[in-house]
């Protein structure tokens, strides 16, 4: 897809010349693998399969139901029919002679009428050629009068009375009727029509015809004299003649194209000098005169009116005119040009897909052209994907073929899509169906951007304050995001926790700064960061210089050099940061205090005191509640396990009755103590645990000879209910 014009209204060339590199089928099959890597070939848009001819195309038509496209071309003379829902060629059919023009008589392709260049009229059906008949003279155009079921064929040359003739072929009866005799020069030998032979140069002829089907069904015939004759099909009489104004410098001009407007009160004429004129049937003075610019005969005139009344009320009045060089679309009210298309090859015929922005052409090139104008209408239902493609191209600034590639989304910048509830919210619901300012599309309407801005400002006068607050917030978020990302991009090799702490502090200051902007309502550049210090922190000047510590070159080695790495397990770091201290054993003072508490307690039994010494203590000074003590383990009746046991070293001396007052006195006494046995050493401020393998003998209980009972377990009752069992 390429942009064929860079005016205010873009036109996308979907298919045709200069859109994709043409390759023959056999070469495509041969280079199938290599073409997968060719971006130009893989990114092409093939709208319709085989939408081309070997030499040129002469005419193209779209069926009323919008599902079929029939086109004729050469060489060899053939007919192509495409099924649009499948985007493929349905069939191709060859003819004996070149096709001048044709008509679709049915709502689909099954019935068509073809005017051939060898004076034959052929009737084609879905199965092929149904019937052909011959006319006396060469035909120039072909129209169909639905009210009388007659095919009208304007012809070249004059009859015996010196008048041009329009042949009437009644399709209901199946025979020719008396034709319409149109004045093309008379019997005077000095006139053009009398002295020229049929088919010769400057031969008088009826060039074109038009029927007002939607209104009064008046027939109009354009002649080589530059006149337009109006005939009534009911009485078969001429009701008027319109003489086009002649220019002395241009000379005589022939009428080459005619088209009635839907109301039937306006007629558009195009002559052989490239001049288009709009007439009101109630006046001989033209309403508007437009020059196509190239001086070639006008080939097609199309009123771009929607078929639905609702859309026609809201759409602008535009008209399409074309010659063999250019297609122009302009406003029929004032004649202002809207957009234009100039293909690389000559144009033979233009067809508009109704209620859409799609144009199909038959031209002198091998490939038939298809153009898409988004602002004229949406894509047809059979190629609805074009809307998404065009929108993506418009929003892609890197696409060289996109419209407005320097600014994204420029195609739809002048319109705003609104739903019906949104229109009512803006108090614009009364404009629906009454003005052309609202364009219906899908479930909403396209509204001009200026109208939308004015309506939104009127409905919400405080909108500027909201927009200002929103813009301030967006600016703050943008600056904050850029700063945070900039700091995070710095390569930090060492002291990562310190860098994260600095980033967190800067982000906190930024949030406070943003809150102050929103509370005071002042501009962003008027706020100073130093005015908003963080709670519990010093001023920003003391924390870091301008740009932050991470961006300061004086502290660069702090985060790059391993020699400056902070050891968080060192005693100095833990002294400065108490929260990072690791749990450790009991100090000498804590251990002595624990021993004093043990000495003050009553010594109930030797087993209990021994259990107190072997009780495990955690590193943080708390007892293990989940562990069963050795004393309770013995009382439960289990035998002592042999093997290495963990013993907590403590002083074997008896606790003093009177405690020293100073810490220094306690330390001096600890140094004077003799070294404990079993190679145990006491370190001040720490606790040492050793494993001393020893065998423990089970104590024999003293027996009472008088009573004969055992008292090894005084605190446990006998499980037997017989009290005389051991007596």
């Amino acid at each position: 897809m390429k942009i064929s014009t860079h005016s205010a209204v873009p036109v996308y060339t979907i298919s045709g010349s200069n859109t994709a590199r043409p390759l023959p089928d056999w070469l495509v099959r041969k280079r199938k693998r290599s073409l997968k890597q060719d971006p130009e070939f893989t990114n092409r848009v093939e709208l319709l399969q085989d939408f081309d001819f070997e030499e040129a195309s002469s005419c193209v038509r779209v069926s009323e139901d919008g599902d079929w496209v029939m086109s004729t071309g050469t060489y060899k003379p053939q007919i192509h029919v495409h099924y649009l829902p499948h985007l493929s060629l349905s069939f191709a059919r060859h003819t004996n002679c070149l096709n001048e023009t044709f008509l679709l008589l049915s709502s689909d392709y099954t019935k068509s009428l073809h005017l051939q260049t060898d004076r034959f009229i052929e009737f084609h059906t879905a199965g092929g050629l149904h019937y052909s008949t011959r006319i006396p003279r060469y035909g120039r155009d072909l129209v169909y009068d639905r009210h009388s079921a007659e095919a009208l064929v304007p012809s070249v040359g004059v009859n015996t009375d010196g008048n041009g003739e329009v042949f009437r072929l009644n399709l209901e009866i199946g025979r020719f009727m008396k034709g319409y005799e149109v004045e093309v020069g008379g019997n005077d030998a000095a006139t053009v029509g009398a002295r020229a032979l049929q088919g010769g140069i400057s031969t008088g002829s009826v060039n074109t015809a038009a029927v007002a089907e939607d209104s009064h069904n008046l027939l109009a015939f354009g002649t080589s004299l530059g006149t337009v004759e109006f005939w009534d099909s009911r009485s078969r009489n001429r009701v008027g003649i319109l003489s086009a104004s002649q220019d002395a410098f241009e000379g005589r001009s022939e009428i080459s194209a005619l088209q009635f407007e839907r109301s039937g009160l306006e007629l558009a004429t195009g002559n052989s000098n490239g001049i288009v004129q709009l007439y009101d049937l109630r006046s001989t003075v033209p309403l508007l005169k437009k020059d196509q610019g190239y001086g070639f005969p006008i080939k097609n005139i199309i009123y771009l009116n929607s078929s639905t009344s609702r859309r026609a009320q809201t759409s602008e009045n535009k008209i399409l005119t074309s010659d063999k060089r250019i297609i122009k679309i302009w406003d029929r009210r004032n004649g202002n040009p809207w957009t234009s298309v100039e293909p690389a090859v000559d144009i033979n015929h233009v067809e508009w897909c109704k209620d859409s922005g799609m144009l199909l052409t038959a031209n002198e090139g091998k490939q038939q052209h298809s153009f898409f104008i988004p602002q004229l209408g949406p894509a047809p239902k059979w190629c609805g994907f074009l809307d998404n493609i065009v929108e993506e191209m418009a929003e892609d600034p890197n696409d060289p073929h996109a419209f407005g590639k320097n600014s994204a989304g420029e195609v739809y910048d002048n319109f705003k899509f609104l739903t019906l509830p949104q229109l009512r919210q803006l108090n614009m619901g009364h404009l629906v169906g009454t003005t052309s300012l609202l364009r219906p599309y899908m479930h909403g309407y396209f509204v001009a951007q200026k109208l939308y801005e004015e309506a939104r400002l009127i409905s919400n006068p405080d909108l500027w304050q909201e927009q200002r607050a929103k813009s301030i917030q967006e600016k703050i978020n943008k600056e904050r995001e850029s700063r945070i990302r900039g700091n995070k991009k710095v390569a930090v090799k060492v002291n990562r926790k310190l860098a994260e702490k600095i980033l967190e502090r800067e982000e906190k200051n930024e949030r406070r700064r943003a809150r102050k902007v929103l509370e005071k309502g002042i501009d962003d550049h008027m706020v100073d960061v130093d005015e908003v210090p963080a709670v519990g922190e010093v001023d920003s000047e003391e924390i870091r210089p301008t740009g932050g510590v991470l961006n300061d070159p004086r502290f660069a080695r702090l985060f790059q050099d391993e020699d400056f790495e902070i050891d968080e397990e060192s005693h100095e770091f833990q002294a400065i940061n108490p929260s990072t201290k690791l749990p450790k054993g009991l100090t000498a003072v804590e251990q002595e205090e624990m021993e004093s508490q043990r000495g003050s307690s009553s010594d109930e039994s030797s087993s209990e005191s021994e259990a107190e010494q072997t009780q495990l203590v955690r590193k943080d000074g708390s007892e293990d509640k989940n562990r069963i003590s050795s004393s309770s383990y013995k009382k439960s009746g289990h035998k002592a396990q042999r093997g290495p046991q963990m013993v907590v070293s403590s002083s074997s001396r008896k606790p003093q009755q009177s405690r020293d007052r100073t810490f220094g006195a306690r330390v001096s006494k600890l140094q004077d103590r003799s070294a404990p046995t079993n190679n145990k050493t006491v370190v001040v401020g720490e606790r040492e645990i050793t494993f001393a393998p020893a065998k423990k003998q089970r104590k024999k209980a003293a027996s009472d000879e008088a009573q004969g009972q055992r008292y090894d377990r005084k605190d446990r009752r006998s499980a037997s209910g017989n009290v005389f069992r051991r007596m």
Side-chain angles (χ1 to χ4, degrees):
M1 293 174 58
K2 293 184 179 181
I3 293 290
S4 59
T5 178
H6 290 277
S7 62
V9 180
V11 179
Y12 291 87
T13 304
I14 309 299
S15 62
S17 59
N18 297 331
T19 55
R21 184 171 66 253
L23 293 175
D25 295 338
W26 62 270
L27 185 59
V28 172
R29 291 191 299 267
K30 184 178 180 181
R31 299 173 51 191
K32 188 175 182 180
R33 292 186 178 180
S34 61
L35 288 175
K36 291 182 180 180
Q37 307 299 330
D38 189 356
E40 183 179 355
F41 186 80
T42 55
N43 295 333
R44 74 191 190 280
V45 177
E46 189 176 358
L47 185 64
L48 293 175
Q49 175 195 2
D50 297 332
F51 193 56
D52 54 11
F53 288 89
E54 296 181 4
E55 291 295 334
S57 53
S58 57
C59 187
V60 58
R61 303 279 184 184
V62 180
S63 62
E64 293 182 1
D65 57 6
D67 291 340
W68 302 88
V69 168
M70 180 179 288
S71 53
T72 58
T74 188
Y75 180 80
K76 301 178 178 180
Q78 51 189 318
I79 301 172
H80 287 179
V81 177
H82 289 80
Y83 184 50
L84 297 181
H86 292 173
L87 302 178
S88 61
L89 179 65
S90 179
F91 64 87
R93 184 180 300 160
H94 292 268
T95 58
N96 296 328
C97 188
L98 298 179
N99 184 270
E100 182 75 23
T101 184
F102 70 92
L103 293 174
L104 293 175
L105 303 180
S106 60
S107 59
D108 53 5
Y109 77 98
T110 54
K111 296 180 181 179
S112 58
L113 181 62
H114 298 259
L115 175 63
Q116 306 296 103
T117 56
D118 59 351
R119 294 190 296 155
F120 271 92
I121 297 178
E122 295 183 353
F123 296 85
H124 285 258
T125 61
L129 177 61
H130 178 70
Y131 182 76
S132 63
T133 183
R134 194 179 181 92
I135 55 178
R137 287 186 292 274
Y138 294 101
R140 288 291 183 87
D141 198 4
L142 181 63
V143 294
Y144 180 62
D145 185 6
R146 297 181 183 273
H147 291 77
S148 59
E150 292 180 352
L152 306 179
V153 186
S155 60
V156 62
V158 295
N159 56 11
T160 56
D161 297 333
N163 296 323
E165 196 169 7
V166 178
F167 300 108
R168 296 170 54 206
L169 178 58
N170 194 299
L171 303 184
E172 184 180 4
I173 302 176
R175 64 185 179 91
F176 284 95
M177 311 297 290
K178 183 180 180 181
Y180 298 109
E181 295 184 356
V182 181
E183 181 66 32
V184 294
N187 292 328
D188 189 1
T191 58
V192 177
R195 65 181 177 86
L197 298 176
Q198 174 179 296
I201 301 175
S202 301
T203 304
S205 62
V206 183
N207 295 329
T208 184
V211 182
E213 295 181 356
D214 300 330
S215 55
H216 44 66
N217 202 49
L218 200 63
L219 306 179
F221 303 110
T223 66
S224 58
L225 296 178
T227 61
V228 180
E229 293 192 6
F230 299 94
W231 288 72
D232 189 354
S233 59
R234 296 169 297 182
S235 61
R236 292 182 295 278
N237 293 325
R238 185 172 58 192
V239 296
I241 299 178
L242 176 64
S243 297
S245 58
Q246 300 292 332
D247 193 343
F249 297 98
E250 295 179 358
R252 183 180 62 87
S253 59
E254 301 180 3
I255 301 297
S256 58
L258 289 175
Q259 184 65 36
F260 276 103
E261 202 265 337
R262 176 180 296 176
S263 63
L265 298 178
E266 186 176 320
L267 177 70
T269 65
N271 58 25
S272 58
N273 293 329
I275 304 298
V276 179
Q277 295 177 341
L278 301 183
Y279 286 94
D280 192 329
L281 297 185
R282 296 163 292 188
S283 175
T284 58
V285 180
L287 300 175
L288 190 64
K289 183 178 179 181
K290 287 288 295 182
D291 189 358
Q292 194 75 358
Y294 289 95
F296 297 113
I298 302 297
K299 291 182 175 291
N300 295 97
I301 299 176
I302 303 174
Y303 281 93
L304 301 178
N305 295 329
S306 176
S307 60
T308 59
S309 59
R310 185 186 180 97
R311 183 176 176 85
Q313 292 176 358
T314 58
S315 62
E316 298 179 1
N317 298 322
K318 294 182 178 61
I319 189 171
L320 182 147
T321 59
S322 67
D323 55 14
K324 72 175 185 178
R325 181 68 60 83
I326 192 172
I327 302 173
K328 286 188 175 182
I329 301 177
W330 40 280
D331 194 341
R332 64 175 183 169
R333 296 172 299 184
N334 48 25
N336 294 332
W338 193 61
T339 188
S340 61
V341 185
E342 190 171 359
V345 294
D346 292 344
I347 302 172
N348 293 328
H349 187 263
V350 179
E351 180 72 5
W352 174 52
C353 298
K354 293 184 178 180
D355 302 332
S356 68
M358 180 67 67
L359 299 177
L360 304 177
T361 64
N363 46 62
E364 290 297 326
K366 292 184 178 181
Q367 296 179 339
Q368 294 181 253
H369 284 69
S370 56
F371 303 100
F372 179 54
I373 307 175
Q375 296 188 16
L376 180 61
K381 60 181 180 180
W382 48 272
C383 59
F385 56 88
L386 289 180
D387 288 328
N388 297 332
I389 295 178
V390 169
E391 187 174 358
E392 291 176 0
M393 289 180 61
E395 293 179 355
D396 187 5
N398 299 324
D399 191 353
H401 303 309
F403 173 73
K405 56 185 177 182
N406 296 328
S407 57
E410 194 170 323
V411 176
Y412 300 99
D413 278 350
N414 53 349
F415 288 99
K416 178 70 175 180
F417 181 79
L418 299 176
T419 60
L420 188 58
Q422 292 176 346
L423 287 174
R424 293 173 180 172
Q425 186 178 1
L426 296 176
N427 298 326
M428 298 174 61
H430 63 283
L431 299 178
V432 176
T434 60
T435 178
S436 60
L437 299 176
L438 303 182
R439 299 183 178 183
Y441 181 71
M442 295 179 68
H443 62 284
Y445 299 87
F446 276 113
V447 185
Q449 187 70 24
K450 293 183 179 179
L451 177 61
Y452 168 72
E453 296 292 344
E454 294 178 0
R456 188 174 61 164
L457 185 59
I458 293 174
S459 61
N460 189 7
D462 299 332
L463 182 63
W464 67 275
Q465 296 181 356
E466 299 177 2
Q467 290 289 348
R468 184 174 177 275
K470 184 178 179 180
S471 61
I472 291 174
Q473 185 65 30
E474 289 178 354
K475 187 176 181 182
I476 292 172
N477 295 337
K478 186 177 180 181
E479 291 184 358
R480 182 192 305 166
E481 182 182 3
S482 62
R483 290 176 183 176
I484 294 175
R485 286 183 178 177
N487 293 336
K488 288 185 177 181
K489 288 182 180 178
V490 178
V492 178
K493 295 183 179 179
V494 295
N495 300 330
R496 183 172 298 276
K497 291 186 178 180
L498 178 61
E500 292 177 356
K501 185 177 180 180
I502 294 174
L503 286 177
E504 184 179 357
R505 183 182 300 173
E506 291 179 357
E507 186 177 357
K508 185 185 296 183
N509 292 338
E510 194 71 25
R511 287 197 298 267
R512 294 181 181 277
R513 180 171 176 267
R515 279 200 300 269
K516 186 173 182 179
V517 171
L518 294 179
E519 290 175 359
K520 292 188 176 183
I522 58 179
D523 293 336
D524 190 21
H525 65 276
M526 298 175 63
V527 182
D528 191 5
V529 183
D530 298 337
E531 298 179 1
V532 195
V535 178
E537 299 176 1
V538 296
D539 295 338
S540 60
E541 295 180 356
E542 299 180 3
I543 296 174
R544 56 178 174 83
T546 304
V549 177
L550 297 177
N551 297 329
D552 195 343
R554 297 177 297 177
F555 302 98
R557 296 181 62 186
L558 179 62
F559 304 100
Q560 301 294 333
D561 195 349
E562 296 181 357
D563 295 338
F564 293 93
E565 185 177 2
I566 300 175
D567 186 8
E568 297 184 359
E569 297 181 359
S570 63
H571 180 72
E572 293 81 2
F573 181 83
Q574 295 177 2
I576 300 174
N577 303 278
S579 60
T580 61
K581 288 184 178 181
L582 297 175
K584 60 182 181 178
L586 297 176
T587 60
V589 179
E590 294 174 351
Q591 187 176 0
E592 187 176 356
E593 185 178 355
M594 184 181 296
E595 292 175 355
S596 63
Q597 292 177 0
R598 291 176 183 174
S600 60
S601 61
S602 60
D603 189 9
E604 296 179 356
S605 63
S606 61
S607 60
E608 293 181 0
S609 61
E610 188 175 343
E612 290 290 335
Q613 295 179 0
T614 58
Q615 186 178 1
L616 295 178
V617 183
R618 291 185 180 179
K619 290 184 179 181
D620 56 354
S622 61
E623 296 181 359
D624 193 356
K625 298 180 181 179
N626 297 327
R627 185 176 181 84
I628 303 175
S629 62
S630 59
S631 59
S632 60
Y633 188 79
K634 291 179 180 180
K635 292 177 182 179
S636 62
H638 294 79
K639 295 182 179 180
Q641 296 180 358
R642 298 181 180 180
Q645 297 181 0
M646 184 172 62
V647 180
V648 180
S649 64
S650 60
S651 177
S652 60
R653 296 176 59 186
K654 296 182 179 180
Q656 298 178 0
Q657 300 297 332
S658 59
R659 303 178 61 183
D660 296 321
R661 295 182 180 180
T662 62
F663 180 75
R666 298 178 185 178
V667 174
S668 61
K669 290 182 178 181
L670 290 174
Q671 294 177 354
D672 297 338
R673 293 177 181 176
S674 60
T677 59
N678 297 333
N679 297 329
K680 294 184 180 179
T681 57
V682 178
V683 181
V684 178
E686 296 184 357
R687 180 183 59 190
E688 183 176 329
I689 300 175
T690 59
F691 295 88
K695 296 182 180 181
K696 284 197 174 183
Q697 300 295 335
R698 186 174 180 181
K699 295 180 181 181
K700 297 182 179 181
S703 58
D704 191 354
E705 297 178 356
Q707 299 180 1
Q709 296 182 358
R710 298 178 61 183
Y711 294 93
D712 54 348
R713 296 179 183 176
K714 298 180 181 180
D715 55 344
R716 182 171 179 177
R717 297 177 60 185
S718 175
S720 175
N722 187 2
V723 296
F724 302 101
R725 179 179 178 182
R726 298 183 181 180
M727 292 181 63

